[in-house]
Amino acid sequence: MRKISSWTLVVVGFLLTSCSSTEWVHPNKPSSEYTVDYNKCSNAASRDPKLQQGSTLLLQNATDRCLQKEGWRLIEQ
């Protein structure tokens, strides 16, 4: 029996996870309001002096936390 390389497992795992999609949903707002709230949160995060070091990941995490505070939830479909 042949051994399965770790790279093969990584590729298969990536392919399986890439088949699913995620979406931000809000219990009381239509999906069209997402862009308004996202832009508000993104602008607030970019004005934060602690996040102005140029790390896109830190800005995205702060934006996601803000969206969650606004009531948005990321769900997998």
Side-chain angles (χ1 to χ4, degrees):
M1 187 170 164
R2 289 182 53 189
K3 287 185 178 181
I4 298 175
S5 72
S6 60
W7 283 108
T8 303
L9 292 176
V10 169
V11 170
V12 169
F14 176 75
L15 290 174
L16 289 174
T17 58
S18 65
C19 294
S20 64
S21 65
T22 56
E23 179 182 14
W24 286 96
V25 295
H26 194 285
N28 303 320
K29 292 182 180 180
S31 60
S32 60
E33 290 291 316
Y34 170 77
T35 304
V36 173
D37 285 347
Y38 178 86
N39 288 336
K40 180 175 69 170
C41 289
S42 179
N43 289 335
S46 65
R47 287 191 306 267
D48 187 339
K50 294 181 283 185
L51 299 174
Q52 293 180 352
Q53 303 300 321
S55 174
T56 306
L57 180 61
L58 292 176
L59 284 170
Q60 187 61 51
N61 286 341
T63 301
D64 290 351
R65 283 192 307 273
C66 175
L67 285 168
Q68 290 173 353
K69 287 178 185 174
E70 292 290 324
W72 292 93
R73 298 293 174 251
L74 190 61
I75 61 165
E76 189 172 327
Q77 296 182 338

